[in-house]
Amino acid sequence: MTLPQLRRRYLVSYGIAIGLIFIVSVFAHLATLHAVSHERGTAEIVNVSGKQRMLSQRLLALVETQSGQRAQEQNNALIRATADELETANVRLQAQAEAISSGDVRDELMVLFNEPEAGITALISEYVGIARSSLEGGASVEQRQRMEDLALGEMFVKLHHAVALFEEHAELGLNRISRIQLFQVALILLILAGEAVFIFRPLLNKTVAAMQTEQETRQIAEDALRFQTETLASKSRFLEQMKTTFFTPLAEAQEKLELAVSSDADKSPELVRDAKDAVTFAAKRAVSLTRSYETTSHNAPQALSATGK
């Protein structure tokens, strides 16, 4: 793989890795927002549930003070307002209970609110009805006793149980958000580990391998250049040696041969012998230099090849 190809592959892999992290981060953020939005009204519902219990106690106190010194009109207005607020809170809580996802908490709340004659809705309706009937001429002893029994007994216990169930639902929502956060962190860490193993580690190995190959190629090129330089220098030295050790003796041999040819062979045997010796000497020197040059030229590429390996 060439460096440009490696660079393109690295950029693509890096883009994929960053894209995965971006997608997971956006998904995690949206999941957290959805979970928080789903649980946004939980604290308020718990507050309303507790307030409903308080309103029931307040309504009882107002009904019992009808015969006291407080102004009748003011007391009646407070009774109406408290009764209306108590019924509104019950309607709202019942709707919230129905909106809860199916489970043990929802089932218990449905039974708690909708049980005939003994559910919270039925008890509050009876309780508020007694309070409103007292506006006409005051509550009788039996009516006040019934309100006390409801406010301090059965209705109070069920309202208290409803508060506990709403608090349990809120706790489940918080635990769900915590699990979502843990899942998001685990998923992100898993993706990062996968990218490190399957993307960045192979790219790093290939990058190191490419750098080593490039370094070896550069070394081979440097060795080839050095060999070429040495070869040229060797050729120059060879030519110089040929000039000094071959061409000069050959020129002398040529002169002696010409002299021997122009002379009578019988009268000048020494000239013929000297010319023969000069030619033989020049030929031997030429052969020796040629073999030496061939040996040097043959061994140099082998040394270069061994260096490249």
Side-chain angles (χ1 to χ4, degrees):
M1 181 179 292
T2 62
L3 286 179
Q5 291 175 337
L6 183 63
R7 180 176 179 273
R8 285 194 298 271
R9 184 168 182 177
Y10 182 83
L11 291 176
V12 171
S13 301
Y14 185 75
I16 292 174
I18 296 299
L20 287 175
I21 295 175
F22 175 77
I23 291 173
V24 172
S25 299
V26 172
F27 171 77
H29 179 67
L30 293 178
T32 302
L33 286 181
H34 176 74
V36 171
S37 177
H38 185 268
E39 303 299 330
R40 187 181 300 277
T42 302
E44 184 180 358
I45 294 304
V46 173
N47 182 51
V48 172
S49 182
K51 184 179 180 181
Q52 184 187 42
R53 188 175 53 187
M54 178 272 296
L55 289 171
S56 65
Q57 303 298 312
R58 181 184 180 188
L59 188 60
L60 173 62
L62 290 172
V63 171
E64 289 185 340
T65 57
Q66 275 187 327
S67 58
Q69 300 300 320
R70 184 174 299 185
Q72 187 71 28
E73 294 79 5
Q74 182 180 4
N75 196 58
N76 288 348
L78 290 173
I79 289 175
R80 291 190 187 93
T82 304
D84 292 342
E85 193 172 358
L86 181 58
E87 286 184 325
T88 301
N90 183 71
V91 171
R92 184 175 180 183
L93 289 175
Q94 189 172 359
Q96 289 294 331
E98 293 174 353
I100 293 176
S101 302
S102 59
D104 295 338
V105 173
R106 184 182 187 279
D107 295 341
E108 287 189 57
L109 285 171
M110 289 296 96
V111 173
L112 203 61
F113 275 99
N114 299 325
E115 186 179 359
E117 297 183 0
I120 291 177
T121 300
L123 294 177
I124 286 180
S125 179
E126 179 185 358
Y127 189 75
V128 170
I130 296 174
R132 284 177 176 157
S133 66
S134 69
L135 297 176
E136 301 299 330
S140 63
V141 176
E142 292 78 8
Q143 288 177 326
R144 285 199 296 269
Q145 184 62 47
R146 177 57 179 167
M147 288 189 69
E148 289 180 5
D149 292 341
L150 291 173
L152 303 178
E154 185 179 9
M155 188 177 71
F156 177 81
V157 171
K158 292 191 174 183
L159 290 176
H160 184 72
H161 189 196
V163 173
L165 289 175
F166 280 118
E167 289 177 345
E168 182 180 349
H169 172 65
E171 184 68 21
L172 291 175
L174 293 177
N175 292 336
R176 182 164 53 251
I177 293 176
S178 298
R179 288 194 298 271
I180 290 174
Q181 290 290 335
L182 289 176
F183 173 77
Q184 292 169 358
V185 172
L187 181 60
I188 291 175
L189 292 178
L190 181 63
I191 290 177
L192 290 176
E195 290 175 350
V197 173
F198 298 106
I199 294 179
F200 293 113
R201 185 174 65 87
L203 285 175
L204 178 61
N205 293 337
K206 291 180 179 180
T207 302
V208 172
M211 293 176 65
Q212 291 177 348
T213 303
E214 184 183 8
Q215 184 177 4
E216 292 173 358
T217 304
R218 186 184 298 110
Q219 184 65 40
I220 292 174
E222 291 176 355
D223 293 341
L225 179 61
R226 184 170 59 254
F227 169 72
Q228 185 179 10
T229 303
E230 292 176 355
T231 301
L232 292 175
S234 176
K235 287 181 178 179
S236 298
R237 290 194 299 270
F238 175 76
L239 292 176
E240 185 66 24
Q241 290 176 358
M242 287 287 288
K243 179 180 179 181
T244 57
T245 61
F246 175 68
F247 291 123
T248 300
L250 187 61
E252 293 177 353
Q254 184 179 7
E255 291 177 0
K256 291 181 179 181
L257 283 174
E258 291 176 353
L259 182 61
V261 170
S262 61
S263 302
D264 188 355
D266 296 332
K267 296 180 180 181
S268 57
E270 293 181 359
L271 292 175
V272 175
R273 186 174 56 251
D274 291 343
K276 180 180 178 182
D277 292 340
V279 171
T280 302
F281 175 75
K284 289 182 178 180
R285 293 300 300 271
V287 171
S288 176
L289 287 174
T290 302
R291 288 178 178 176
S292 176
Y293 176 75
E294 289 179 349
T295 301
T296 304
S297 301
H298 178 70
N299 292 334
Q302 292 182 348
L304 181 61
S305 177
T307 303
K309 293 180 181 178

